[in-house]
Amino acid sequence: MRTPSRLHLQRLRQLWRSAGWPCQDLVEVELLAAGWVERLLEADGRERLRLTDAGIAHIAASLNRNRAARDAHEQLVERVATEMQRAGRIAWRGLSLRAGLPPAEGDDSGKTVWVNAMPDVYSIRHSTVEDYLEPAIHEIKVSRADLLGELRRPAKSAAYRALCGQCWFVIKAGIAEPDEIPPEYGVLIGHETHLELARPAPRRACKPDFATWMALARATPLLPPEDPQSAL
């Protein structure tokens, strides 16, 4: 193997953080065969594992990839939040919300299923009339794997839709086609310099429930973007 899989990288990080006591499973066999870890014999006869320079280099490369992905994600989140504010909306980032969903098909208990949701951007119109708030959620994806993983979790997607009247996916240009995203969502494509509207989000009447209002009251909305003309 020339490139470690996600499982191999996870085990390498575990060995780096621990004392290196072996599990003696097939994952470690592959790590040893690839030369990413080595065996050390302790004075008492016990054996432990230690990362080689090649193993450390793979961890460092993985860290740099993850950091770059986080930076790209945060930049796109900030751009979307700014656009919402310029459109006359109040925006929040990092909210922790709860959505009550109907029981799954085949569940005769009738109990509400509560799902936690942390949308990248949640926004409402700047209005004192509750019917005009039009809550919206924008979920930002900068990698195809992350997008596909989200689409495979229907409960999380349903929670987003339950919390807003417009639900959007904002995808980095090139990771997917708009047709791959279910029609219940609007699609914005994030380019280097602008956001492209690929498909508008269906609108539904929606008012924030009491739990959402409490979450908004505890959180701080984003400060409005600076006006470049304000200093003139």
Side-chain angles (χ1 to χ4, degrees):
M1 293 182 297
R2 295 184 178 181
T3 305
S5 67
R6 178 177 297 182
L7 180 60
H8 293 135
L9 288 171
Q10 182 181 16
R11 183 63 63 83
L12 286 173
R13 288 191 291 267
Q14 290 173 351
L15 289 171
W16 175 256
R17 291 192 299 264
S18 71
W21 300 120
C23 298
Q24 294 185 333
D25 58 7
L26 294 180
V27 176
E28 286 181 0
V29 170
E30 292 174 332
L31 295 178
L32 288 165
W36 300 330
V37 298
E38 60 184 359
R39 293 179 292 180
L40 297 177
L41 188 63
E42 299 291 314
D44 57 4
R46 291 184 296 180
E47 188 178 84
R48 68 182 180 91
L49 301 178
R50 181 177 66 182
L51 269 66
T52 64
D53 290 343
I56 294 173
H58 281 304
I59 291 181
S62 173
L63 176 63
N64 289 332
R65 289 194 299 270
N66 292 339
R67 184 178 292 124
R70 285 196 300 270
D71 291 344
H73 180 268
E74 290 303 303
Q75 290 173 5
L76 193 49
V77 169
E78 183 176 356
R79 185 189 302 174
V80 170
T82 299
E83 290 300 321
M84 293 302 100
Q85 292 174 307
R86 288 173 176 168
R89 302 178 67 88
I90 306 172
W92 287 263
R93 291 178 55 181
L95 285 178
S96 180
L97 306 176
R98 292 185 72 204
L101 303 180
E105 186 176 353
D107 184 354
D108 298 328
S109 66
K111 293 183 179 179
T112 299
V113 179
W114 293 98
V115 178
N116 293 325
M118 296 184 65
D120 287 321
V121 180
Y122 179 93
S123 67
I124 58 176
R125 289 184 62 196
H126 198 297
S127 173
T128 57
V129 181
E130 189 177 16
D131 290 338
Y132 298 162
L133 291 177
E134 298 181 4
I137 283 178
H138 290 75
E139 188 66 9
I140 284 75
K141 300 298 175 187
V142 297
S143 76
R144 181 171 180 82
D146 192 17
L147 173 64
L148 296 180
E150 182 93 352
L151 296 177
R152 285 194 292 265
R153 289 180 286 181
K156 185 176 180 180
S157 300
Y160 288 148
R161 296 196 303 274
L163 291 166
C164 68
Q166 297 180 60
C167 200
W168 298 79
F169 271 108
V170 185
I171 59 175
K172 181 181 178 182
I175 69 168
E177 296 297 327
D179 292 343
E180 297 181 69
I181 296 174
E184 296 86 1
Y185 305 92
V187 181
L188 289 169
I189 300 177
H191 297 277
E192 289 293 332
T193 58
H194 66 283
L195 296 174
E196 175 191 355
L197 175 62
R199 187 175 71 214
R203 293 192 176 191
R204 299 178 296 103
C206 180
K207 297 179 182 180
D209 59 13
F210 181 76
T212 300
W213 278 122
M214 289 299 296
L216 297 180
R218 290 192 298 265
T220 302
L222 298 176
L223 295 175
E226 294 184 3
D227 184 358
Q229 300 294 323
S230 60
L232 299 180

